[in-house]
Each structure stands twice: as C-alpha cells, then as structure tokens.
Amino acid sequence: MEEVALPAFLVTFALFLVYILSLIVRTRAPSSATSKPTYGPKFYPIIGAAPSLSPNSHRLPEYLTELIQESPTGTVFIHCPFGTKLIVTANPSNVEHILKTRFEAYPRGPILYSTFHDVLGDGIFNADGEAWKLQRKIASHEFSTRSLRKFAETVIGDHVSDRLLPLLTSAAAGGTVLDLQDGLARFGFDNICRIAFGAGPVSDDLSLSTSEFTMAFTVVGKILSERIAAVSPLVWKIKRALEIGFEKQLQNALRTIDDFTRNLIREKKQNPVTTPENLDLLSRFMNVDGADDGFAKDMVISFVIAGMYTTSAALTWFFWQVSRHRHVEEEIVKEISSVEGEALGFDEVKEMNYLHAALCESMRFYPPVPFDIKYAAEDDVLPDGTPVPKGASVMYHPYAMGRTKSLWGEDWEEFRPERWLRRDGADGKWRFVPEDPYRYPVFQAGPRICLGKHLAFIQMKTVAAAVLTRFRVVPLSTDFQPVMRVPRSASSKPTYGPKSYPIIGAAPSLSPNSHRLPEYFTELIQESPTGTVFIHCPFGSKLIVTANPSNVEHILKTRFEAYPLGPILYSTFHDVLGDGIFNADGEAWKLQRKIASHEFSTRSLRKFAETVIGDHVSSRLLPLLTSAAAGGTILDLQDGLARFGFDNICRIAFGAGPVSDDLSLSTSEFTMAFTVVGKILSERIAAVSPLVWKIKRALGIGFEKQLRDALRTIDDFTRNLIREKKQNPVTTPEDLDLLSRFMNVDGADDGFAKDMVISFVIAGMYTTSAALTWFFWLVSRHRHVEEEIVKEISSVEGEALGFDEVKEMNYLHAALCESMRFYPPVPADIKYAAEDDVLPDGTPVPKGASVMYHPYAMGRTKSLWGEDWEEFRPERWLRRDGADGKWRFLPVDPYRYPVFQAGPRICLGKDLAFIQMKTVAATVLSRFRVVPLSPDFQPVMRWNLTIKMEGGFPVKVEERKT
C-alpha cells in the first residue's frame, strides 16, 4: 500500500498525539461528576492506558475511531499516564455542547497557547476570550465583503490557469508520473500566500529566495508537531532557551517569515493599495483602526498556517475517491459541461451542486483536520453523561463521525454524493441539502466556525472543475490504496528497518549481505511502507536509506545545506581529491561549482570533448572490435570499455594521451595508479571504522602503502604536466583540456587546478563505461530494442556521428536511460545530516546520521515505474510525435531518477556523458552485434566505486550484415 502523508501544518491544529499530550495536561477529578466513564481502554495505576495507546500512536485517527465505534455513547474516556484525562467524542450532542452551548468553558487553553505563541502570537487562532472576540469581529467583516471574495476568485483563477493546468498538461503530454498530492500542496501554498500577502506566487518571486521562504513555513509546521509530541513543554522550552536542535531551526524560520512580513508591511505603507478588489488580507488588517503591525502580522500568519494545505489535502483525497468511482466522475463532468462559457468563476462553480456534494462526501471520509482538541476550563458533564474534569483535554473527532453508522446510515461505507442532494421538483436539477454542522464539523461549528469555508469551496470547486473537465486522474497502480499518516516526531521510532541489537546494531543482518548491499537495501526498501529504511549500525551510528522521491528532493534541493558531504567522507577522499569540487562543501564548493559550471557550459569544451571521443572511437575502440570480430576471439567488453573510458577522460582532463599509449610514461604505472586509487577508496568506505584505514595509513602498511605510492605517481605526472603547460600554453579554446582551463582561472594556484582535474577524472573514469557495459548486455537480451536502435542510426545522414547526429537519436537516448534505471553506474550516494531533521515521509534524521538516496532501488520501485517496472522498455521514455511520427524523448523528474544526482549538485558532465555513450553505442551497433559468450549469461553485480560485472563481460563480436 502507498502512503499519503497529511501535511504537518494541518495536523498542527489537530495532531495531538494522545499518549504524549496527555503527559502534559494535569487534571483532577471533578466534584460534580464522579460517575464512572461509560467506555474506554483498560488502564493501570500510573501508566494509565499507555499499553493500548503506545502501539497505536502511528494511527491515532483510526484507533480512536475503532474505540468510538465500540462505545455505546460514541464517547471514549481515556485514562492517560500520571492521572491525566482525555475525552474523545463523535456524539453530535456533545460536539454542540463543546463548540456552542458551553463555548466559554472549552477554550484552547494555556498549554496550546504557549506551544503556538512563537508562531501565531496573539492571532485569532491562538486567542481566547475578549482578544479572540475582537479579532473574530474584524475578520468576520473582512471575509463577508464582496471585494475579498472577488480578489480571492481572481487569484485562484490565475493560479489554476498559470500554474496548475500547465503542470497537468505537461504530465499528460509526457505520460509522466506525477505526485498529485505534492503538486496540489505547492499550488495551495502559493494560493494562500497570494491571498494573504498579495506577493506571489511567492515561490516564483525572485526577490525572495524560494527555498528560504517556503522552507520556513515547512520548518514551522514540522517543529510545532515536535513541540506537541514532546514529553513535556519543558523539553522544547529548554531547547528554545539554549537555541539548539529543532528549536534553533524554528527561530531561524520565524526570523525569515518575520523579516519578509515586516518588509512587506513597510512596502505597503509606502505604496498602499486603494482598490478594494486588489486588497490582500495583510492590507485589510493593516487598515483596521487602531491596529499595529504586530496585530496585522499575527492575523495574517494565522490564516496562512490554517489554510496553506487544508484545501489541497481535501482535493488529494477527493481525486483519489473520484478515480475509484467513475460514475461519480461522469456525473461531475456532465454537470461541469452544462455550465455555459469557459471561465469557471464564483457564479459558475456556485451552481455545481453535485460537485459540492462530492467534495463534502470525500471530506466525510477524509476531513483535512481529522480531530480538534479543547481544554476543559471547569468541571462539566457532557449531554451523554460523560464527566469532564477541569483541566482535561476534550477532543471532538470529525474523522470518526464520518464513519459512524448511527449518523450516516447502513450505507455509511459507500462513497455516495447523492446523500447530500435532492432532486428539484421544478427542473429536476440537483439541490444541495447541508447537514447539521455538529454532525459534520469538518469546518468546526458554533462561534469558531471556519471563516474561510466559502473561499475554500470556491478554490476546491474551481480546481476540481478545471481539472476534471480536461483530464482523467489515474492512480499509477489499479489497486492503489493510500495509507493515512500524520507526521511523527524525530524522537519517534523509525518506520522500518532490520532488527538491531545493543552495540552491534543491525550487523547480523548487514554482514551476510555486505557483498550485495545494493540488492539488499533494495529488498528492504521494497518491504518498507514509506520506501525508506532506518538502520542502526554498530556503535550507535545511524544510516537512513531512501528511495522516496520526496525525500530525495528534500535532501538534494529543499534542505541542501543541511545535507553536505560531511566530515567522514571528506577525510576518506581527501588524500585523493584534496579540496576539489567533489570533496568540498560550503563556500569552497560554491566557488568551484561556479567556475566548473562556466567551463562546462562553453561550446569550446563540448567541441573539444566531441573531437576526443570521435578520435578515440575510430582509432582505439573500432580497431579492437574489428580485430575481435575478424578473429572470432572472446573479448571482455567490460575491460575494453573501461580502458577506452579511462583514456577518454584522461585526454579530456589532461590533454595528454591517450595516456596508456604515451611512451614517455609507463602505461601500467599511470593506469595502475588510478586503478589502485579506485580499489582502495572502496576499501576505506567498506571499513568498519575510519580508524582502521587511518592506522594503516599512519603505519604505511597494506593497501594504504599502495595508495600512497599510487598518489605519488599521479601527483608527479600532474605537476610535470602543469609545468609543461605553463611553458607551452595552449591558446586555441577548442584545444583546451580541463587542466588548462582550470589553470587559467584568476587567482588559481597549481593545487587548485590539480584537485579540480583529479576530481573529474575520478568521477568520470569508469562511470560511462560501466553504464555502457550493462547497456550492451541488456540490448543483447532484447533484440527488438537493438533493431529499433539500428533503424534509428541508419536514418541519420552521413557516416560521421558527431554531436548533432547523436543528439537526434531519441530511441537510443531512451534505451540508455532505461538501462541506467536498472543499473545506475553509481547505485547509491551518501550525505551527512548536519542537523536534526525530519524527512517528508516522517522519517526522523538525527544529527550526524548518514543519509543515503538509492537510484538502484528507485529504478526497481513499482510505485514509481508502474506494474511493468521489471520490463526493459525504452518506450516508457518516449512518445510518438503527431506531426512526423518520430520518437520524442520525455525526461522524468530528476528526483525520481537521480542517476546524475539532482538539485544544486546535479552532474555537470551529464551532457558530455550522453555524447560519449551515444557515440560509442551508435558506432558499435551500426557495425557489430554484441553476443554474450553464453546465451544464458547472467552477470553478478559487484559494487566498487561503480557497479561492475563480476568476472567481466565475455562476448563475441559479429560484423553486422548490411
């Protein structure tokens, strides 16, 4: 089953983890209500009902619903640890009592006030008493104005047409897999920011860092959940005072939001908006008589927090429900088509009663906020007789209420919008019949009923109508069954991982699989509900392995600064890479990235690389294959491609080569030096502890002695070459190798140039050759793919296969991508957690943990690639062009396919790598057939720095018949 995570912001108001929250709220028994509670889980002295609550902490909405369904009154009385009490109800009479009849007796209370105060201040959603009444009066007036409705309608319409529809159109045209929940969440956030601030969509506003502002709100939601989940408020208050852990992140995030809001207030004062239809919420609250900047800020932030993901969550579940009930979808589309005109404004969507009913029915099953909690300010008794002690937490539960047979009838389990409708006798059209708000408190009820309810329905109905009139939303898997999840705190138990033991961690599981880690991690990931695995390694170290694209984007882009290379990998690679680009973090990395990005974007480097690749193919690779074909000899294609790849990158990097043919330097000495480097870096990575190889290095023994000798060889060669290039500099841009380019950087010394160029040699020496090895094996097993590639090659005019020719080979490009989906040259990459964090799927990340994203496992994930993920099918990357019938390549989200990394560190050599791979593949397959020595040859994968075939790839090469 797939997981659909409820965004942290929604649960900020509802996710009160019962077992933990109850530790906070101290209560005493009421004097007026001493009767025994009607129903509740078994409890014990001191620990209360913890034995029942703790195992269900990850599924509270469902667990509490089960308890409520068993209760005769629809109310549950829970004795929590240390004498605290929690009353949970799905009884409409009780809900009306709490939200209306005895409204003053059930405020938010002091604990929630202090928890949210840093974020919401004294804003409307964190206020009680007279302060709340004043703000409610002001906000009620603004939300009742026609001008605000018109402003919101315009914003929603613009965002649908400019942002949401292009996203869906692109996905439909490309046949790509789309995370609709994520897309709707982004849309919803931009939408509420535009309505609230008038500045937006914020995530497209280049005057403010997208990641900084968006991430600030993401951090706020997550850390408010952390506060709620704390054993005691004292925990987060101490952390806040010391500015450590999550509390430090929160203060930074709040500073970002505060700076942005105050700057915006200052700007609005200088350039006030005067047209009512253009007034955002911030401007409206600034115009309130007697209101200061703090009042306006607290009010608007409250509405952003409340609305940023509520409607998007409701829409996500709605589209899933509709996809499972096609008759409902047909009825909605029929209703939409009956509306005149293309524009779907307020007046048009207002008339869509069936759509309105379908949304209400969806929220009956999946209310965006599944429950809400109040504080008992005094002793009381609920209408069903349940005693309420002063200080208790009292929860009403819309999620459970929507699943109560006594409220919705025998057919409560059916998704049936018609239960909300009646046919109009006059014209036979559907007429919407609203329910008692205390039976359906999805938008709260009573004095605190949601002010934004009507705007929410405008947004939801506009989005639903715009989408369903143009598209069908089809879950990737026909049996897709989402699992509802709420965010977990960083202190909660990880979702999934192998069994661990004190001191040795998961070593008993890891050790037997050390020779096949990519496959083993893939097996674990495929069993994990979230696509993420938490591994307790020996001596207390932690490893998180993920194949979840949302997590990958979080690591590589959203929270890029929080996941550097880190000190362990830095020390591991420093002897080889120095402070080069692939071993640098922070400002050093940014500088080198800027320099390297410029060089790799030049036409002259591409031309130089194209020439080198062409020369090497014609003068080295083709003669090797021609000789093997003529003699019928057995060839280890993996070894041949590796030598070719190494000579290629050396020529591009050093301009001296092919190095292995350069008689001024011993071939075996230089080539062997890099081979040794690769092997020993792998040895270091595989060591139980860095201390092992550091001791060997200090003593100059074993592999470490070999590494020192190899590095001396590489260093001598590079420094001699630098000296030679200084004496005889290359001046023609098209002849400049990488070393010459980095030597020409202003202010760069010899060490900088050496570290940079060695980094690129290490990164590229075996990656493309590894990719090509697996590609030729897969193509040899799928002859129809080979025939399609050869057909495409033969359609290219001319014999020379340069950049312009191979660029047009889309089927070949797709076949290479499909091959790397199964066998990415680098199957996994590791980052270091520089601070505590929580991944989007709820996995906690402790500071200092290693965090691995896993392209090898991602390529084998059904939820990402569909039911046919096991098939080698290049066509999944292609679509036929309607004009000429040719294949058109459709790239996928780089966070779903991070073979070349993604985000700020995305591979700079990606385009050059494809030039090389496509040139080699096209040249070889146009002339030869690659035939594995054994028809049933099944390679065994081994992971060094790249993945290789154990024992090589023995083949025979046959001349292709014309």
Side-chain angles (χ1 to χ4, degrees), residues 119-124 293-303:
V119 180
L120 302 181
D122 294 304
I124 188 169
D293 294 352
F295 170 86
K297 180 180 79 73
D298 288 350
M299 283 284 276
V300 80
I301 293 299
S302 293
F303 280 103

Side-chain angles (χ1 to χ4, degrees), residues 82 228 293 312 327 361 432 456 612 625 709 865 889 921:
F82 304 107
I228 293 165
D293 294 352
S312 63
H327 65 285
E361 181 73 345
F432 182 78
V612 169
L625 299 176
D709 295 340
W865 300 98
F889 182 79

Side-chain angles (χ1 to χ4, degrees), residues 639-892:
D639 180 67
L641 289 171
R643 291 174 181 271
F644 167 81
F646 179 68
D647 283 352
N648 215 259
I649 190 63
C650 284
R651 179 75 171 83
I652 293 170
F654 297 118
V659 175
S660 57
D661 279 348
D662 186 354
L663 298 180
S664 66
L665 177 73
S666 167
T667 299
S668 60
E669 186 181 1
F670 187 81
T671 307
M672 218 23 234
F674 273 98
T675 303
V676 166
V677 164
K679 285 182 178 178
I680 297 173
L681 285 180
S682 298
E683 287 287 327
R684 284 186 174 185
I685 293 169
V688 175
S689 165
L691 193 61
V692 175
W693 63 260
K694 286 180 179 180
I695 291 172
K696 288 183 178 180
R697 182 181 63 180
L699 298 175
I701 59 174
F703 283 116
E704 289 297 322
K705 183 177 186 298
Q706 294 179 43
L707 178 63
R708 187 173 58 193
D709 295 340
L711 290 175
R712 192 178 298 114
T713 299
I714 295 169
D715 189 70
D716 289 347
F717 171 74
T718 309
R719 293 194 180 279
N720 288 337
L721 205 56
I722 289 172
R723 188 161 48 247
E724 182 183 321
K725 288 179 181 294
K726 285 181 177 179
Q727 294 170 354
N728 303 290
V730 179
T731 55
T732 310
E734 285 76 10
D735 294 333
L736 281 173
D737 52 78
L738 285 177
L739 181 58
S740 299
R741 290 169 184 271
F742 294 136
M743 286 171 60
N744 292 339
V745 172
D746 289 340
D749 59 14
D750 294 353
F752 171 86
K754 180 181 79 74
D755 288 350
M756 282 284 275
V757 80
I758 294 298
S759 293
F760 282 104
V761 172
I762 293 291
M765 63 186 202
Y766 294 137
T767 44
T768 54
S769 62
L772 283 166
T773 301
W774 293 100
F775 166 79
F776 282 119
W777 173 64
L778 283 169
V779 166
S780 73
R781 299 176 70 226
H782 299 85
R783 289 302 177 187
H784 66 285
V785 173
E786 181 176 8
E787 290 167 6
E788 190 70 31
I789 293 172
V790 173
K791 178 182 173 184
E792 182 177 61
I793 297 168
S794 63
S795 69
V796 176
E797 296 181 4
E799 291 189 13
L801 292 174
F803 172 77
D804 294 328
E805 288 75 27
V806 298
K807 185 176 69 173
E808 300 301 319
M809 297 181 185
N810 289 326
Y811 192 90
L812 174 56
H813 195 103
L816 284 162
C817 288
E818 181 73 344
S819 174
M820 288 187 287
R821 175 172 75 85
F822 284 106
Y823 298 101
V826 181
D829 189 24
I830 293 182
K831 304 296 180 185
Y832 171 83
E835 57 190 63
D836 291 336
D837 194 22
V838 179
L839 297 180
D841 68 0
T843 303
V845 181
K847 181 179 179 180
S850 296
V851 183
M852 175 188 289
Y853 67 96
H854 209 289
Y856 181 86
M858 295 177 81
R860 289 165 161 74
T861 301
K862 184 171 71 172
S863 62
L864 299 182
W865 300 98
E867 295 289 340
D868 64 347
W869 72 268
E870 292 180 284
E871 294 180 30
F872 177 69
R873 195 169 67 82
E875 290 79 7
R876 75 176 75 244
W877 299 79
L878 301 162
R879 288 294 177 273
R880 289 284 189 188
D881 193 304
D884 56 13
K886 290 184 177 180
W887 288 119
R888 183 162 62 91
F889 182 79
L890 300 170
V892 301

Side-chain angles (χ1 to χ4, degrees), residues 355-665:
L355 174 56
H356 195 102
L359 284 162
C360 288
E361 181 73 345
S362 176
M363 288 188 287
R364 175 172 74 86
F365 285 104
Y366 298 101
V369 182
F371 45 76
D372 190 23
I373 290 185
K374 304 297 180 184
Y375 171 83
E378 57 189 63
D379 293 339
D380 193 22
V381 179
L382 298 180
D384 67 0
T386 303
V388 180
K390 180 180 178 180
S393 295
V394 183
M395 175 191 290
Y396 68 95
H397 206 294
Y399 180 87
M401 296 177 79
R403 289 165 161 75
T404 300
K405 185 168 69 173
S406 63
L407 298 181
W408 299 97
E410 294 291 337
D411 65 347
W412 72 267
E413 292 180 285
E414 294 180 29
F415 179 72
R416 196 169 67 81
E418 290 78 7
R419 75 176 75 245
W420 298 80
L421 300 163
R422 294 293 180 274
R423 287 285 189 188
D424 193 305
D427 56 12
K429 290 184 177 180
W430 288 119
R431 183 165 60 88
F432 182 78
V433 182
E435 285 290 347
D436 177 357
Y438 302 103
R439 179 185 173 209
Y440 181 76
V442 169
F443 292 90
Q444 291 209 43
R448 278 193 185 260
I449 192 168
C450 176
L451 288 171
K453 176 181 176 181
H454 294 303
L455 290 185
F457 269 112
I458 291 174
Q459 182 182 9
M460 291 189 291
K461 291 171 77 172
T462 302
V463 169
V467 171
L468 292 178
T469 194
R470 295 169 174 83
F471 308 100
R472 282 189 67 200
V473 175
V474 184
L476 190 59
S477 171
T478 53
D479 58 351
F480 176 78
Q481 187 70 35
V483 178
M484 188 175 73
R485 283 291 177 265
V486 291
R488 302 154 60 114
S489 76
S491 60
S492 62
K493 191 176 180 180
T495 308
Y496 181 83
K499 188 174 182 179
S500 63
Y501 304 86
I503 303 176
I504 61 172
S509 301
L510 293 170
S511 183
N513 291 287
S514 60
H515 64 290
R516 56 182 294 275
L517 283 181
E519 300 98 315
Y520 176 59
F521 286 154
T522 298
E523 291 161 8
L524 291 177
I525 284 168
Q526 288 172 339
E527 293 171 3
S528 168
T530 60
T532 302
V533 179
F534 196 113
I535 300 173
H536 294 262
C537 299
F539 307 109
S541 59
K542 308 289 191 296
L543 172 67
I544 293 110
V545 188
T546 188
N548 184 320
S550 297
N551 291 348
V552 176
E553 183 173 11
H554 182 86
I555 296 161
L556 298 185
K557 178 188 174 186
T558 311
R559 299 231 57 212
F560 174 73
E561 301 290 346
Y563 293 94
L565 193 69
I568 297 172
L569 289 183
Y570 175 82
S571 64
T572 301
F573 290 102
H574 186 260
D575 290 344
V576 179
L577 302 181
D579 294 302
I581 187 170
F582 296 118
N583 204 40
D585 280 319
E587 294 303 318
W589 172 80
K590 288 179 184 177
L591 173 63
Q592 295 182 63
R593 178 77 182 191
K594 184 177 179 181
I595 293 167
S597 294
H598 168 72
E599 295 299 340
F600 273 82
S601 66
T602 60
R603 181 178 176 82
S604 59
L605 179 60
R606 196 200 77 196
K607 190 67 180 173
F608 175 68
E610 182 185 331
T611 301
V612 169
I613 293 165
D615 289 348
H616 275 64
V617 167
S618 59
S619 63
R620 294 178 58 72
L621 187 61
L622 285 181
L624 174 69
L625 299 176
T626 301
S627 174
T633 54
I634 298 169
L635 177 70
D636 180 355
L637 189 59
Q638 178 171 258
D639 180 67
L641 289 171
R643 291 174 181 271
F644 167 81
F646 179 68
D647 283 352
N648 215 259
I649 190 63
C650 284
R651 179 75 171 83
I652 293 170
F654 297 118
V659 175
S660 57
D661 279 348
D662 186 354
L663 298 180
S664 66
L665 177 73

Side-chain angles (χ1 to χ4, degrees), residues 336-352:
I336 298 168
S337 64
S338 69
V339 176
E340 295 181 4
E342 292 188 13
L344 293 172
F346 173 76
D347 293 329
E348 288 75 27
V349 299
K350 185 175 69 173
E351 300 302 318
M352 297 180 185

Side-chain angles (χ1 to χ4, degrees), residues 88-246:
V88 187
T89 188
N91 185 319
S93 297
N94 292 348
V95 175
E96 184 172 8
H97 182 86
I98 296 162
L99 298 184
K100 179 186 175 185
T101 311
R102 297 275 286 137
F103 174 72
E104 300 290 346
Y106 293 95
R108 281 177 60 77
I111 296 170
L112 293 182
Y113 175 82
S114 65
T115 301
F116 291 99
H117 186 261
D118 288 346
V119 180
L120 302 181
D122 294 304
I124 188 169
F125 296 118
N126 204 40
D128 281 319
E130 294 303 317
W132 172 80
K133 288 178 183 178
L134 173 63
Q135 294 182 62
R136 179 76 182 192
K137 182 178 179 181
I138 293 167
S140 294
H141 168 71
E142 294 298 342
F143 273 83
S144 67
T145 60
R146 180 179 175 81
S147 59
L148 178 60
R149 195 201 76 196
K150 191 66 180 172
F151 175 68
E153 181 186 331
T154 302
V155 170
I156 293 165
D158 289 347
H159 274 66
V160 167
S161 59
D162 297 343
R163 295 177 59 74
L164 186 60
L165 290 182
L167 173 71
L168 298 177
T169 301
S170 175
T176 52
V177 177
L178 177 71
D179 181 353
L180 188 59
Q181 177 172 258
D182 180 68
L184 290 170
R186 291 172 185 269
F187 166 82
F189 179 68
D190 283 351
N191 216 259
I192 190 63
C193 283
R194 180 75 171 85
I195 292 170
F197 297 117
V202 174
S203 59
D204 280 347
D205 186 356
L206 298 181
S207 66
L208 178 72
S209 168
T210 299
S211 59
E212 186 181 2
F213 185 80
T214 307
M215 198 52 214
F217 273 98
T218 303
V219 167
V220 164
K222 286 181 178 176
I223 297 171
L224 285 179
S225 296
E226 284 292 321
R227 284 187 172 185
I228 293 165
V231 175
S232 164
L234 193 61
V235 174
W236 63 259
K237 287 180 179 180
I238 291 172
K239 288 183 178 180
R240 182 180 63 180
L242 298 175
E243 287 196 2
I244 59 174
F246 283 109

Side-chain angles (χ1 to χ4, degrees), residues 15-65:
L15 174 60
F16 301 96
L17 301 177
V18 179
Y19 153 61
I20 300 176
L21 175 66
S22 60
L23 300 181
I24 304 172
V25 186
R26 297 302 180 108
T27 67
R28 60 182 178 83
S31 57
S32 60
T34 56
S35 59
K36 190 176 181 180
T38 309
Y39 180 82
K42 187 174 182 179
F43 64 95
Y44 305 86
I46 303 177
I47 63 172
S52 301
L53 293 169
S54 184
N56 291 288
S57 62
H58 66 290
R59 54 182 296 274
L60 280 180
E62 300 98 317
Y63 175 62
L64 294 176
T65 298

